[in-house]
Amino acid sequence: MTALVVVFHAAITYGGSGGWFYHEVPASGSPSSLLMTMFCGTNQAYFMGFFFLLAGYFTPGSLERKGYARFIGDRFLRLGLPLLVFGLLLGPLTAAMVNSAQGRSFWGTFVGLWQDKEFINGPMWFTQALLIFSLGYCAWRVTFGSALRVTERTSKPVPSYLWWLLGAVAVGAVALAIRQVVPTGQNVIGLQLGYFSSYIFLFAMGIAAWRYDWLRQLEWKHAKPWIWTLAVAWPLMPIGIAVAHAMYGFGKANFGGGYSWPAILYAFWEPFVAWGLIALWLLVFRARMNQPSALWGWLNRRAYTVYIIHPVVLVGVALLMRGWVAPALVKWGAAGALAVIACWLVADPLVRLPGVRRVV
């Protein structure tokens, strides 16, 4: 999933729609750009929500083992410190690399961002949000929850399809409401709140999944209805994009906010796609990849570091390749693959450093 984040941002580099440090090919109505936009839109619908689900799953047990003080201190160390390092160092460094390649001053950009007090959280918005969610869970637990080290996990059946269906409708409706105030693509304290309806829901469902042992009980009979729903729902977005382009022209339909039919389609399309993909991947990963492996152990140990450093590495790879004339899809595949490999190779020595490895 971390590698998918790198490939996702590589797609934006070469024509996919979305915010990123470096756009070598701007988003357009070309077939390659539309293909990468659909790739990005599909992943945006579920993959960060999937991360929040997993984070939520591991949160209650961690809190109960450590207690409030140690848990909160650990969250600030593991989430807050990398956020600060990226915002003050790696983010400005990445922006300066892009400006330098475009003929502007590298150091002028870097120093200027510091002087203007620009804090670039980039993809570390995830750790920022997760820190907020963790503190929110602690506050909820103190106010409404049971005492620590007393709560017992109780096995309850995985909720029915109807329950998840109502959840998808509710998430879509809340997302649509939020996007009237904060459309997708617009940041508030560095966070795109237009996507947070599903993030909050899935983080909470991760907590519930730990409490009620849902992941162990998850079976194909639970996932199949959502996989069929995914198969029906996913084509609605490319069809909707094609219709919107025909009606309004490229880039003129508002999918990110308001009450237009494209905005309504996008808000409700996301959870209906997300539930199916998350259930599918959980079962596939559990069946095929949950085995002892030296390679997977090596990759897993470095994944968080890769997430932190990948903007610098990916942008560096793309800038080195910008003189290569090739179709955008080819450059996406090449840059994405090279960046994934380079990220893990750069992460390897970092996780071996005594001070750094305690954080990442």
Side-chain angles (χ1 to χ4, degrees):
M1 295 304 297
T2 303
L4 185 60
V5 173
V6 181
V7 177
F8 171 89
H9 288 133
I12 298 175
T13 301
Y14 294 104
S17 178
W20 185 236
F21 289 94
Y22 175 55
H23 297 264
E24 183 169 314
V25 179
S28 68
S30 69
S32 65
S33 181
L34 291 175
L35 178 63
M36 284 184 271
T37 293
M38 276 309 305
F39 171 81
C40 292
T42 302
N43 287 298
Q44 177 63 57
Y46 87 95
F47 74 156
M48 297 311 298
F50 195 2
F51 277 119
F52 280 115
L53 175 79
L54 296 174
Y57 182 83
F58 290 107
T59 294
S62 178
L63 175 60
E64 294 190 3
R65 287 193 312 272
K66 299 175 181 178
Y68 289 107
R70 185 180 163 203
F71 174 81
I72 293 172
D74 180 69
R75 294 300 85 190
F76 274 101
L77 178 68
R78 299 287 312 279
L79 301 173
L81 184 56
L83 172 64
L84 285 175
V85 170
F86 190 93
L88 298 176
L89 179 61
L90 297 182
L93 174 62
T94 309
M97 288 167 57
V98 174
N99 278 4
S100 177
Q102 295 171 345
R104 294 186 287 274
S105 169
F106 176 90
W107 288 112
T109 299
F110 191 91
V111 174
L113 289 170
W114 273 54
Q115 291 175 337
D116 294 338
K117 298 180 174 60
E118 290 280 348
F119 187 87
I120 302 176
N121 63 354
M124 296 303 287
W125 68 265
F126 172 72
T127 62
Q128 179 182 343
L130 186 54
L131 181 59
I132 294 170
F133 288 5
S134 299
L135 295 175
Y137 175 69
C138 288
W140 178 88
R141 189 72 182 265
V142 167
T143 307
F144 304 106
S146 56
L148 298 186
R149 303 184 186 279
V150 173
T151 303
E152 295 183 0
R153 298 176 67 185
T154 304
S155 181
K156 291 187 178 182
V158 177
S160 67
Y161 176 82
L162 177 60
W163 193 95
W164 290 105
L165 178 65
L166 294 175
V169 172
V171 165
V174 172
L176 184 65
I178 293 173
R179 292 171 189 182
Q180 307 312 305
V181 181
V182 187
T184 61
Q186 182 175 322
N187 290 335
V188 176
I189 61 168
L191 304 174
Q192 291 200 31
L193 299 183
Y195 292 112
F196 270 63
S197 174
S198 64
Y199 297 162
I200 294 171
F201 178 84
L202 288 168
F203 182 76
M205 288 306 98
I207 293 171
W210 180 86
R211 183 73 60 203
Y212 302 126
D213 198 25
W214 287 344
L215 293 192
R216 186 185 62 81
Q217 298 180 72
L218 185 67
E219 298 178 4
W220 284 107
K221 67 180 181 181
H222 303 115
K224 281 181 180 177
W226 279 107
I227 294 171
W228 283 110
T229 302
L230 167 65
V232 173
W234 187 88
L236 296 179
M237 183 53 65
I239 293 171
I241 291 174
V243 172
H245 286 179
M247 290 178 62
Y248 308 116
F250 175 75
K252 296 183 179 179
N254 186 2
F255 283 86
Y259 289 110
S260 65
W261 69 262
I264 295 172
L265 171 65
Y266 187 39
F268 285 95
W269 177 82
E270 287 182 308
F272 280 86
V273 167
W275 288 194
L277 282 168
I278 290 173
L280 175 63
W281 284 130
L282 280 171
L283 288 167
V284 169
F285 290 156
R286 189 177 69 186
R288 303 294 183 186
M289 307 170 86
N290 191 27
Q291 305 293 333
S293 166
L295 175 60
W296 281 110
W298 186 86
L299 293 169
N300 290 340
R301 179 61 185 86
R302 288 145 185 81
Y304 183 36
T305 307
V306 167
Y307 186 89
I308 297 168
I309 66 171
H310 84 269
V312 178
V313 177
L314 173 59
V315 169
V317 168
L319 291 176
L320 289 173
M321 293 175 56
R322 65 183 177 140
W324 177 35
V325 179
L329 287 174
V330 174
K331 295 195 76 171
W332 171 35
L338 289 173
V340 167
I341 295 169
C343 281
W344 260 270
L345 293 177
V346 173
D348 180 71
L350 293 177
V351 301
R352 299 175 187 273
L353 297 174
V356 175
R357 69 187 180 194
R358 183 163 178 262
V359 178
V360 299

